[in-house]
Amino acid sequence: MNILVTGGAGFIGGNLAEVFVADGHDVITLDNLDPYYDIGIKEHSIDIARERADEGEGSYEFIDGDVRNQDLVTELVSQVDVVYHQAAQAGVRTSVDNPRKPNDINIDGTLNVLDAARDSEISRVVLASSSSVYGKPEYLPYDEDHPKTPVSPYGVSKLAAEQYARVYHEIYGLPTVSLRYFTVYGPRMRPNMAFSNFVSRCLNGKPPVIYGDGTQTRDFTYIDDVVDVNRTLLDTDIADGEILNVGSSDNIDIRTLAEVVRDEIDPSLGLEFADQPTGDAQHTHADVSKATEFLGYEPSTTIREGVSQFIDWYKANRNWYEALVLNS
């Protein structure tokens, strides 16, 4: 297939592009290399995808551009069969400081993709949404019908984007699927996330820093599970028009996560605490039964398995990744 991955140099987008190329597909990635975090990580993802293209049957092309460029988006969408729309201004805390930027990228950029797809022969648009749409839990785990009361501008922008995708399916017949990701982690993840910060500090002999009292809980989803569910959507239209949770179906409080990371690296370290930022959700926990029903989704990596795998990857890639983590 011919596939467009917007945000294709980012964490999830870069992993998708790499796997799709390795599977023999022809992949175009669109990314503006926004320095929200060190672009060296994004450049590394581009290099890996190019290496996969050199090794196999798939092809890879990187386009330095922005989803807010409607003409460019329209041109690229016209060349492909499927769009994986991962491009977004990430970061709850960033959105609190500057709510207009996620609005411009996450909503207007999404509309550019949807409009381009509506006017093409595209077979599907797969949209990256977020558990941030839920906000304040009335019950856990979240199912897709849970009320949506996002507590950050980022959450509002992702909710608007997925609802536009739903409406474009219902009104225009555009095949869309929105995946609500729950705190994805793994190789090449953003260095400003709690998970990567814990590992970085512990490997450097420093105690992990917990924001808040550590009772917040998260449903951490390993990147391989996210890649697998996106792969499934290449071959089926059964979920068209749907919005699906993609999580691990498990959760862990942040203090325990810090202790698990610390104990694997250096049990002698203590814990440090800092103020919890505005806009952070208190709890997330995914009910993935709908994704299981439609796509056969079964998360395969527990949080403790994921901790070990990420630490092993981090150690193997420490020469280039650690400098970027410490500078971010």
Side-chain angles (χ1 to χ4, degrees):
M1 282 190 173
N2 297 313
I3 300 171
L4 172 64
V5 183
T6 70
F11 169 40
I12 297 175
N15 276 276
L16 291 178
E18 174 193 352
V19 169
F20 290 153
V21 171
D23 287 345
H25 301 291
D26 297 321
V27 177
I28 300 172
T29 63
L30 173 66
D31 201 297
N32 68 354
L33 300 179
D34 189 304
Y36 170 57
Y37 57 90
D38 197 298
I39 65 170
I41 299 176
K42 299 179 180 183
E43 291 169 341
H44 185 71
S45 288
I46 294 169
D47 290 342
I48 289 176
R50 284 176 174 153
E51 290 171 5
R52 296 293 179 267
D54 291 340
E55 296 167 355
E57 297 180 1
S59 67
Y60 178 81
E61 181 181 4
F62 170 72
I63 304 295
D64 187 346
D66 199 304
V67 291
R68 290 171 289 185
N69 183 336
Q70 186 172 10
D71 290 340
L72 176 60
V73 169
T74 300
E75 177 187 351
L76 296 178
V77 169
S78 71
Q79 301 174 31
V80 301
D81 304 306
V82 180
V83 177
Y84 283 87
H85 181 41
Q86 309 295 309
Q89 173 58 60
V92 166
R93 299 166 198 174
T94 299
S95 77
V96 171
D97 294 335
N98 181 9
R100 288 194 175 273
K101 188 175 181 182
N103 186 85
D104 292 344
I105 298 172
N106 302 355
I107 300 177
D108 290 344
T110 297
L111 283 171
N112 285 342
V113 171
L114 294 173
D115 279 336
R118 178 164 65 101
D119 295 332
S120 73
E121 298 299 321
I122 205 88
S123 63
R124 187 160 302 103
V125 175
V126 181
L127 174 74
S129 187
S130 168
S131 62
S132 294
V133 304
Y134 292 113
K136 302 173 183 178
E138 294 188 6
Y139 56 85
L140 291 172
Y142 293 120
D143 57 33
E144 288 81 358
D145 293 327
H146 186 284
K148 286 74 177 176
T149 52
V151 294
S152 69
Y154 170 74
V156 172
S157 73
K158 298 302 278 187
L159 180 60
E162 70 172 33
Q163 293 302 311
Y164 270 119
R166 177 186 60 79
V167 166
Y168 270 58
H169 172 73
E170 293 180 0
I171 294 178
Y172 306 117
L174 178 66
T176 65
V177 180
S178 294
L179 302 179
R180 287 179 184 152
Y181 298 140
F182 281 69
T183 317
V184 186
Y185 71 102
R188 308 199 303 272
M189 70 183 297
R190 291 203 329 253
N192 57 355
M193 301 288 283
F195 207 108
S196 48
N197 279 333
F198 290 167
V199 173
S200 172
R201 288 183 62 86
C202 289
L203 283 172
N204 284 280
K206 300 176 182 178
V209 176
I210 298 167
Y211 292 95
D213 61 8
T215 60
Q216 316 95 291
T217 60
R218 292 290 181 271
D219 190 325
F220 286 96
T221 314
Y222 197 65
I223 184 63
D224 289 359
D225 289 326
V226 169
V227 169
D228 285 346
V229 74
N230 279 281
R231 258 174 159 171
T232 302
L233 287 167
L234 279 175
D235 302 319
T236 179
D237 61 3
I238 194 171
D240 283 351
E242 298 294 340
I243 301 171
L244 307 172
N245 287 339
V246 176
S248 69
S249 72
D250 192 10
N251 69 349
I252 188 172
D253 67 79
I254 298 301
R255 177 172 183 141
T256 299
L257 173 65
E259 291 171 345
V260 169
V261 171
R262 178 202 61 189
D263 291 348
E264 179 145 338
I265 296 172
D266 185 352
S268 69
L269 296 172
L271 301 174
E272 290 186 5
F273 294 85
D275 292 338
Q276 184 173 352
T278 302
D280 275 358
Q282 190 66 20
H283 302 288
T284 68
H285 188 189
D287 178 342
V288 299
S289 57
K290 187 176 178 182
T292 301
E293 175 188 351
F294 278 91
L295 302 174
Y297 173 67
E298 293 289 348
S300 62
T301 306
T302 68
I303 184 63
R304 285 166 175 78
E305 291 169 342
V307 165
S308 295
Q309 292 179 33
F310 181 69
I311 290 173
D312 288 345
W313 175 88
Y314 188 105
K315 289 177 177 177
N317 291 271
R318 194 171 181 179
N319 287 340
W320 66 270
Y321 186 77
E322 186 173 76
L324 302 179
V325 170
L326 295 176
N327 290 330
S328 298

